[in-house]
Amino acid sequence: MAELPGSDLAFMRAALTHAAAAGERGEVPVGAVLVRGGQIIATGGNSPVASHDPTAHAEVEALRAGGRALGSYRLTDTTLYVTLEPCVMCAAAMVHARVRRLVFGAFDPRAGAAGSITDVFALPELNHRVDVFGGVLMEECGLLLQQFFAARR
C-alpha cells in the first residue's frame, strides 16, 4: 500500500465515528466526511431506515450537506472519506458532484462500485475522473459492519 498522508487516517477515523453513530441508530454503520482545504466541510451517516429514503446513504448525505455548505452542487477540490466502498448510486453522485478524490475503507463484494462488482470511476464515457484509494483502515471499517450484522443474526 502506498504511503498515506496522516490526514487521510485522521479523516477516515472521523468517518468511522459517523459510521458508529449510524449503527447506534439502527442503520447500517457507514459514515462519510467531505473535506476541502484540509477541513471537514460536511459529514454523513447512513439514514435510509429513519428517513424512509433509499438514497440516504452516508455518501449522499455528506454530498448534500457539502453542497449546502459551499452553495453549489459542484464539490470541486474535495475529498470524500467513506468507511465502505460506494455503491453505483453513490459513485455516480460523486462523479456528478465533481469530487476530486475518494478514500474508502472496507471493500464491498456485494455492491461495491469502485472495483468490487464494477468500477463506475473507470467508465471512459463519463466527463469527470475521481481519484480512488481503497482499503484505508479496512480492518476497523469492516469490523464495525461485521459486528453490526452479527448482532442481528
Side-chain angles (χ1 to χ4, degrees), residues 31-82:
V33 296
L34 186 66
V35 174
R36 187 183 214 185
Q39 300 293 316
I40 294 175
I41 60 168
T43 64
N46 263 4
S47 63
V49 175
S51 66
H52 311 291
D53 179 356
T55 69
H57 291 192
E59 302 95 321
V60 171
E61 295 296 296
L63 294 175
R64 288 175 178 157
R68 288 189 296 273
L70 297 177
S72 174
Y73 77 93
R74 291 199 175 196
L75 305 175
T76 55
D77 298 320
T78 60
T79 299
L80 185 65
Y81 295 85
V82 63

